């Protein structure tokens, strides 16, 4: 008779997200995950099958929490589209000012495992499309509305680059200048 699960799956996925976010997909080892999730090897494999399946669940959780939050900022009326774009980019600076250099898990996945794994690539693309929709929506409330489609792709690229620069240790002042330039132009 199988023993019932003695841990909360949602908590385990949240804990795994912290491990992947801090270390990256490639650098997160099984021992790192087991320690970070406070699980045994058997429990991890029984609940999540393998590292990739777990990572896909982590990306889904990240999309529901972090990406949805950014999209909400970008699409909620009340502030100008320009202001909403600036708020989104300023999250990069705010995170680094607070000592968080993990960057964006989605951006790290785009630059890492999405380059070689089709399922991860699909999950990343889906979240990136949501970000692009958010930027396009905000741009429609600016003087650049006629070019919202093209510029929304550009902003996603800049956003990903900003988070990767934050993770790679770019100086805070460089990040501030980049965000200020984005604000001036959008």
């Amino acid at each position: 008779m199988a023993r019932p699960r003695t841990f909360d799956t949602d908590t385990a996925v949240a804990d795994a997200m912290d491990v992947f976010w801090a270390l990256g997909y490639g650098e997160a080892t099984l021992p790192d995950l087991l320690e970070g999730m406070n699980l045994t090897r058997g429990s991890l494999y029984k609940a999540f099958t393998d590292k990739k399946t777990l990572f896909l669940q982590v990306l889904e959780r990240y999309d529901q929490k972090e990406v949805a939050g950014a999209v909400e900022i970008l699409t909620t009326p009340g502030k100008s589209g320009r202001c909403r774009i600036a708020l989104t980019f300023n999250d990069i600076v705010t995170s680094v000012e607070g000592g968080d250099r993990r960057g964006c898990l989605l951006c790290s996945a785009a630059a890492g495992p999405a380059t070689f794994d089709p399922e991860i690539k699909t999950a990343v693309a889906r979240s990136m499309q949501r970000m692009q929709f958010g930027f396009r929506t905000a741009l429609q409330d600016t003087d650049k509305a006629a070019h919202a489609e093209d510029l929304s792709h550009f902003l996603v690229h800049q956003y990903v680059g900003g988070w990767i620069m934050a993770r790679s240790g770019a100086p805070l002042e460089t990040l501030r200048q980049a965000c200020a330039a984005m604000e001036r132009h959008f």
Side-chain angles (χ1 to χ4, degrees), residues 13 16-17 20-21 24-26 28 33 48 50-62 105-106 108-110 112-114 120 123-124:
V13 171
M17 184 169 71
F20 284 124
W21 203 345
Y25 178 77
L33 290 164
F48 303 106
D50 58 22
K51 179 180 170 180
K52 181 175 116 177
T53 303
L54 173 60
F55 189 65
L56 288 167
Q57 288 188 32
V58 163
L59 286 176
E60 178 63 30
R61 179 183 177 87
Y62 191 84
L105 178 63
L106 178 65
S108 296
I120 295 173
V124 167

Side-chain angles (χ1 to χ4, degrees), residues 57-179:
Q57 288 188 32
V58 163
L59 286 176
E60 178 63 30
R61 179 183 177 87
Y62 191 84
D63 181 79
Q64 293 170 358
K65 184 178 177 194
E66 303 296 331
V67 174
V71 171
E72 183 176 344
I73 290 168
L74 289 165
T75 60
T76 301
K79 295 181 178 164
S80 71
R82 185 172 184 259
C83 180
R84 297 187 323 251
I85 292 167
L87 286 169
T88 304
F89 275 91
N90 282 324
D91 279 348
I92 299 167
V93 172
T94 302
S95 290
V96 173
E97 285 174 336
D100 186 352
R101 287 271 185 179
R102 295 176 301 172
C104 166
L105 178 63
L106 178 65
C107 300
S108 296
T115 64
F116 60 81
D117 186 284
E119 288 178 272
I120 295 173
K121 181 178 186 172
T122 298
V124 167
R126 188 173 42 249
S127 292
M128 290 294 182
Q129 288 169 351
R130 286 171 36 96
M131 287 299 300
Q132 191 255 335
F133 166 79
F135 282 121
R136 184 176 61 238
T137 301
L139 284 162
Q140 290 168 344
D141 289 338
T142 71
D143 61 342
K144 308 215 186 285
H147 305 286
E149 183 67 27
D150 292 342
L151 291 174
S152 64
H153 291 288
F154 173 76
L155 288 174
V156 168
H157 290 128
Q158 294 302 308
Y159 187 71
V160 170
W163 280 114
I164 289 175
M165 293 301 294
R167 183 173 177 96
S168 70
L172 180 57
E173 190 52 36
T174 300
L175 298 171
R176 281 188 183 125
Q177 289 170 351
C179 287

Side-chain angles (χ1 to χ4, degrees), residues 7-45 47-59 105 113 120:
F7 63 90
D8 179 64
T9 304
D10 192 51
T11 300
V13 171
D15 292 342
M17 184 169 71
D18 289 339
V19 174
F20 284 124
W21 203 345
L23 301 177
Y25 178 77
E27 296 300 316
T29 65
L30 182 59
D32 294 327
L33 290 164
L34 295 174
E35 181 180 334
M37 297 169 71
N38 197 29
L39 294 180
T40 65
R41 181 182 304 255
S43 293
L44 186 139
Y45 284 126
F48 303 106
T49 311
D50 58 22
K51 179 180 170 180
K52 181 175 116 177
T53 303
L54 173 60
F55 189 65
L56 288 167
Q57 288 188 32
V58 163
L59 286 176
L105 178 63
I120 295 173

